[in-house]
Amino acid sequence: MNDVCPYCGFRFEIEPGYFYAAMYVSYVLSVGQVLAAGLLTYQISKSESPWVYLGVLMATILIFAPFNFRYSRLILLHYLTPKVKYDPKYEDALGDDRP
């Protein structure tokens, strides 16, 4: 993830350790995915073996890890931090330094 926006120069990490809170968002996403995968596995296989569920749930966690990493940060920035807003007046201050 970029430290600053290449277009407008916005610094994403508002304060030191800001994205530690994204771990909680990632946890909520993971719990939802694991619940959905567990229920879907039960509906499809009707298995009573814990190894089937363990394999499916571990695969679900590993497959969705990159998604959770990126989107937990985006959810934190856009929905859970009300003080972060785009302001076009700062865009003019950058001039032609943008790529």
Side-chain angles (χ1 to χ4, degrees):
M1 185 169 180
N2 294 334
D3 291 331
V4 295
C5 177
Y7 183 72
C8 68
F10 178 75
R11 182 173 154 79
F12 291 114
E13 191 166 0
I14 298 166
E15 55 194 25
Y18 173 73
F19 285 117
Y20 284 131
M23 290 188 300
Y24 298 109
V25 177
S26 178
Y27 175 74
V28 170
L29 291 173
S30 294
V31 167
Q33 293 158 354
V34 164
L35 282 174
L39 291 173
L40 190 63
T41 302
Y42 175 75
Q43 290 295 323
I44 292 172
S45 70
K46 304 285 189 201
S47 176
E48 293 182 10
S49 171
W51 296 108
V52 171
Y53 292 103
L54 185 64
V56 168
L57 300 181
M58 291 302 290
T60 301
I61 291 170
L62 290 175
I63 289 169
F64 283 108
F67 171 86
N68 290 343
F69 178 75
R70 176 173 294 260
Y71 286 99
S72 65
R73 289 176 171 222
L74 289 174
I75 290 169
L76 180 69
L77 272 173
H78 292 287
Y79 298 113
L80 301 177
T81 310
K83 67 180 180 178
V84 176
K85 298 279 188 240
Y86 171 73
D87 194 350
K89 73 178 180 182
Y90 295 117
E91 186 176 332
D92 295 333
L94 290 174
D96 291 332
D97 295 339
R98 291 180 281 194

